[in-house]
Amino acid sequence: RRIGDLETFDMVLVDTSPGPGVTIAAAGWLEGDADSAWGAWDQLLRQGQCDSGELLALNWEPGELRRLGTVLSTYIKNQAVSYSINMVGTAVLGAAFASLAWPRALLGAASWIDSSWSMVQIRADQAGEELARELLAR
């Protein structure tokens, strides 16, 4: 899984307006099956916050980006719960509880965050190289 090449890489034309500019929107992670390469930027694009010209959405490795989004949102939710428990523990047992809880939470999350993050990082490097080739070909 880590060594493979990009499975998905394309640019989706979202809009063309008069003007010389080209805007390329690239998502860093996706949240859920309904999210898409351009959906992450949809609100910004609807408000007209980009320059005129071609508007492209970079669609790269949506499966990996969804996995990363799931990992990140799960991590954030777990951290919120852990923080709440930590606050209660600190109020009851003091600093001894707090000094043990934080390293435990970091160690528990490190492996599954690293795996998804590393995978997306490797594929992002490959997507960047492919994007450079696409832009040079224009």
Side-chain angles (χ1 to χ4, degrees):
R1 191 173 143 207
R2 279 185 191 253
I3 299 181
D5 289 331
L6 286 173
E7 293 176 16
T8 305
F9 181 92
D10 61 338
M11 288 193 276
V12 180
L13 181 64
V14 177
D15 185 33
T16 55
S17 301
V22 174
T23 301
I24 300 173
W29 68 84
L30 300 174
E31 297 177 357
D33 292 335
D35 207 356
S36 65
W38 66 272
W41 298 94
D42 192 37
Q43 185 174 1
L44 183 68
L45 302 176
R46 286 178 194 251
Q47 294 172 354
Q49 296 293 322
C50 60
D51 294 336
S52 60
E54 277 188 315
L55 174 59
L56 303 166
L58 183 61
N59 181 31
W60 66 283
E61 297 299 307
E64 294 298 334
L65 294 178
R66 281 191 186 91
R67 268 191 281 288
L68 180 62
T70 300
V71 165
L72 290 175
S73 63
T74 300
Y75 175 72
I76 290 168
K77 289 174 190 172
N78 288 344
Q79 284 303 107
V81 169
S82 179
Y83 181 75
S84 300
I85 291 170
N86 194 13
M87 292 306 290
V88 171
T90 301
V92 175
L93 297 174
F97 182 81
S99 67
L100 295 174
W102 183 243
R104 182 186 57 80
L106 272 177
L107 289 174
S111 65
W112 52 271
I113 288 177
D114 180 52
S115 176
S116 294
W117 184 268
S118 296
M119 190 62 184
V120 169
Q121 185 178 17
I122 290 166
R123 298 293 167 85
D125 289 342
Q126 293 171 342
E129 291 173 7
E130 186 62 32
L131 177 60
R133 282 191 285 276
E134 289 279 331
L135 292 175
L136 284 172
R138 290 180 143 245

